[in-house]
Amino acid sequence: ERGASGGREKGTVFTSDIISTVEFNHTGELLATGDKGGRVVIFQREQESKHQPHRRGEYNVYSTFQSHEPEFDYLKSLEIEEKINKIRWLPQHNAAYFLLSTNDKTVKLWKVSERDKRPEGYNLKDEDGRLRDPSMITTLRVPVLRPMDLMVEATPRRVFANAHTYHINSISVNSDYETYMSADDLRINLWNFEITNQSFNIVDIKPANMEELTEVITAAEFHPHHCNTFVYSSSKGTIRLCDMRASALCDRHAKFFEEPEDPSNRSFFSEIISSISDVKFSHSGRYIMTRDYLTVKVWDLNMENRPIETYQVHDYLRSKLCSLYENDCIFDKFECVWNGSDSVIMTGSYNNFFRMFDRNTKRDVTLEASRENSKPRAILKPRKVCVGGKRRKDEISVDSLDFSKKILHTAWHPSENIIAVAATNNLYIFQDKVN
C-alpha cells in the first residue's frame, strides 16, 4: 500500500471538523466527505499527465459547501445537529453531479456543477449589476458569454424533510434511480426524487407500547440490481431481507438471517456486541456483509441460518469489554466496505488501525492511518497487536491502544485499489504500490 495523506489536518481537533462519512462516486473520480459541522467536501482525482504520471492517484479539493445547519425542534425542545450522517451519490447523466446528504432529520439532494462562462452586455443593467436609466439606453445590445475562472457551484435541488420522528441512520439509492429510502431507528421511508412532501412508509417496527420495544433498525440498503429488494439490520444482530412486491408495508420479511449464539460465549455484553452497525450488499448482489462490534460476517442470500464467512476484527478486545463499556466505546458504530470485485473487505478499528481481509487467500492485514507513517508515497507496514506474554519489537501491546483514535468510516474506489480512510479530522487516501 502506498500512502498519500490528504484532506484536512490540524493541530487542534474541533468537533465540527470530525469526518462523519466518506463516499466515492460511481466512477471513483470524486470522493465526498461529510463532517460534524454539516459541511460536505468533495475531492477530485488528478488527471494523468505525461510529466507527472505518479500524480494520477492524488485527490484535490474540488468543492466545499455547507449542506446542513443546526436547527431546533420547538415542539420537542430538541436541538437537531448539523452533522452529516450519510452521503450517497447518484450516477452521472450529464455534466453535473448529484448527491444525497442527510443529517438526523432532513435529506437534501445537491447538484454540483461547473461554470466557466458568464453573460455580459445586458441592456437594463450595467456591468456591476446596477439598473440603468431606461431613458439613457439608445442602442440594443445582444448579451454574450465571456470566459471566466472555473467556478464549482453546489445548489440544493430538493429538500426531503419532516418524515422522521427518530434519527436517520441510513440512506440508499435504488437501482431504478427514481427512488431512494431513508431509515431511522424504527421506520424506513421510500421517497421519489421528484416528490419532497410525501414518502411511503415501507417498514415500521414501532410497537404500540414503547415499553415493549426490544430492537431498533441500525442500517438499511437497497439491492444493487433488483429494485424491489432491500435489507435492514437490527440491534439484535439480525438481518431482514424484504421484497416490496409482496406488500406495500414490508412488515413481513422474505428472509431472516441470524446466527445462533454460542452459549459458551454468553456474557453481560453479548447483546451489545451483537448489534449490527453496518450492512452492505456485495457489488454482485449475491452476498451481504455485516459488521458488529468484534467481527465482520459475510452471508449468502441463499443461506439464512449462518454466515458463510466470519472475520475477527479485533478479538483481543474481548477481554477488555468491561472498560470499553465504561468509556462508551462499546457503542461505536464501525462501517465496512467491499472492494470493486468483492474479493477483499475492509473495516476500521482503534488506534487508527484498519483491517483488510482477502476472501480468496484468507489472509488478513492490519494497517495504520497516521500522520507519522503516511508521508506521500510511503509504504504502509503491517501492524500487529500483542495480547500478552513477550512483546516483539514491532508489536503494539493491547494495553497501549488509543481508543480515542478510531476509524469508523472508510470507502473503496469502485474499480481500483484506492481506499479512503477517515481518522477523526484527517482523511487518508492510500493506493496500491506502483512499481
Side-chain angles (χ1 to χ4, degrees):
E1 294 287 331
R2 188 182 88 183
S5 94
R8 328 156 200 179
E9 299 197 41
K10 297 186 178 78
T12 313
V13 179
F14 297 103
T15 306
S16 60
D17 289 332
I18 294 174
I19 299 172
S20 52
T21 184
V22 188
E23 188 80 4
F24 279 103
N25 75 339
H26 290 70
T27 61
E29 291 302 301
L30 297 181
L31 170 67
T33 66
D35 64 25
K36 288 193 172 181
R39 291 182 300 266
V40 171
V41 179
I42 301 174
F43 298 88
Q44 185 180 45
R45 194 176 184 186
E46 280 283 317
Q47 293 306 308
E48 200 160 7
S49 73
K50 289 177 183 173
H51 308 297
Q52 294 174 305
H54 65 271
R55 284 181 65 90
R56 170 70 181 131
E58 290 189 13
Y59 285 76
N60 292 315
V61 175
Y62 176 66
S63 174
T64 304
F65 59 93
Q66 189 72 32
S67 171
H68 287 70
E69 301 278 0
E71 294 176 62
F72 192 79
D73 186 333
Y74 293 99
L75 291 175
K76 295 185 178 150
S77 294
L78 283 176
E79 283 186 44
I80 301 168
E81 282 187 346
E82 64 271 40
K83 174 191 162 210
I84 308 294
N85 291 341
K86 287 284 185 289
I87 290 172
R88 290 290 178 265
W89 290 90
L90 275 71
Q92 190 180 5
H93 294 301
N94 54 29
Y97 302 99
F98 288 87
L99 63 84
L100 285 172
S101 64
T102 185
N103 67 349
D104 285 341
K105 298 288 181 183
T106 305
V107 183
K108 294 184 182 182
L109 175 66
W110 288 89
K111 176 185 179 182
V112 181
S113 54
E114 296 181 356
R115 203 150 62 102
D116 60 358
K117 292 184 176 66
R118 70 164 180 265
E120 279 183 12
Y122 288 108
N123 289 286
L124 299 175
K125 290 190 291 188
D126 62 20
E127 300 310 325
D128 298 326
R130 289 191 298 267
L131 286 173
R132 295 168 67 191
D133 182 356
S135 61
M136 304 295 289
I137 300 171
T138 55
T139 56
L140 189 65
R141 294 190 295 181
V142 178
V144 292
L145 289 172
R146 297 249 185 261
M148 59 177 260
D149 290 340
L150 180 69
M151 199 165 82
V152 181
E153 295 178 313
T155 48
R157 298 309 299 267
R158 304 272 188 280
V159 177
F160 306 90
N162 306 320
H164 284 278
T165 309
Y166 307 98
H167 291 178
I168 298 172
N169 56 47
S170 303
I171 48 175
S172 180
V173 179
N174 198 345
S175 58
D176 63 10
Y177 302 130
E178 285 185 13
T179 56
Y180 77 92
M181 69 176 170
S182 55
D184 67 25
D185 297 334
L186 297 178
R187 298 190 182 103
I188 300 176
N189 293 332
L190 180 69
W191 301 83
N192 187 297
F193 279 111
E194 300 299 319
I195 302 166
T196 58
N197 60 354
Q198 187 181 37
S199 65
F200 290 99
N201 180 226
I202 52 175
V203 172
D204 188 347
I205 65 166
K206 184 184 178 190
N209 178 5
M210 282 295 274
E211 288 178 7
E212 294 168 11
L213 182 70
T214 58
E215 63 180 331
V216 293
I217 297 166
T218 56
E221 188 175 57
F222 268 119
H223 191 283
H225 312 303
H226 304 313
C227 61
N228 53 283
T229 308
F230 67 93
V231 293
Y232 68 92
S233 58
S234 90
S235 55
K236 275 193 164 176
T238 61
I239 308 111
R240 290 173 175 84
L241 182 128
C242 300
D243 189 335
M244 291 193 290
R245 295 171 300 186
S247 65
L249 188 65
C250 300
D251 278 356
R252 284 195 300 276
H253 48 264
K255 294 196 174 189
F256 182 73
F257 300 86
E258 182 178 29
E259 185 175 25
E261 190 186 21
D262 182 356
S264 63
N265 282 341
R266 180 92 190 137
S267 75
F268 171 76
F269 305 108
S270 294
E271 280 191 25
I272 301 171
I273 63 172
S274 66
S275 175
I276 292 172
S277 54
D278 197 16
V279 60
K280 293 270 170 64
F281 270 107
S282 62
H283 296 88
S284 66
R286 171 71 188 269
Y287 305 103
I288 307 170
M289 169 169 54
T290 60
R291 170 73 207 259
D292 57 39
Y293 191 64
L294 294 177
T295 64
V296 172
K297 293 172 183 171
V298 176
W299 305 75
D300 189 314
L301 283 190
N302 300 324
M303 191 167 82
E304 300 168 52
N305 60 343
R306 61 187 170 85
I308 55 167
E309 297 159 29
T310 300
Y311 301 99
Q312 300 295 334
V313 179
H314 38 216
D315 202 47
Y316 46 79
L317 297 183
R318 204 174 280 278
S319 60
K320 300 261 178 252
L321 293 177
C322 200
S323 55
L324 291 164
Y325 177 75
E326 286 169 3
N327 64 15
D328 279 351
C329 284
I330 202 168
F331 301 106
D332 284 334
K333 293 176 169 53
F334 292 95
E335 295 171 7
C336 51
V337 289
W338 302 87
N339 72 339
S341 62
D342 300 332
S343 60
V344 183
I345 55 187
M346 173 172 65
T347 191
S349 180
Y350 293 104
N351 209 66
N352 279 357
F353 287 171
F354 59 98
R355 304 270 282 136
M356 286 182 176
F357 302 95
D358 189 312
R359 298 179 59 212
N360 299 326
T361 65
K362 301 302 175 193
R363 284 173 27 202
D364 65 275
V365 67
T366 303
L367 299 167
E368 183 182 3
S370 69
R371 292 169 73 170
E372 291 74 44
N373 66 4
S374 293
K375 303 285 184 288
R377 277 165 291 287
I379 307 288
L380 284 188
K381 292 189 179 71
R383 304 300 305 265
K384 280 202 168 55
V385 177
C386 160
V387 184
K390 250 183 128 177
R391 186 170 68 87
R392 291 203 188 122
K393 191 178 126 198
D394 56 344
E395 290 183 338
I396 181 166
S397 163
V398 69
D399 295 316
S400 57
L401 293 173
D402 188 342
F403 292 106
S404 66
K405 292 179 176 174
K406 55 193 87 168
I407 289 176
L408 304 176
H409 315 287
T410 59
W412 202 308
H413 189 288
S415 56
E416 296 180 41
N417 279 337
I418 297 176
I419 58 170
V421 175
T424 320
N425 64 327
N426 296 328
L427 176 69
Y428 297 92
I429 295 169
F430 302 106
Q431 71 175 60
D432 248 357
K433 191 175 72 180
V434 181
N435 294 327

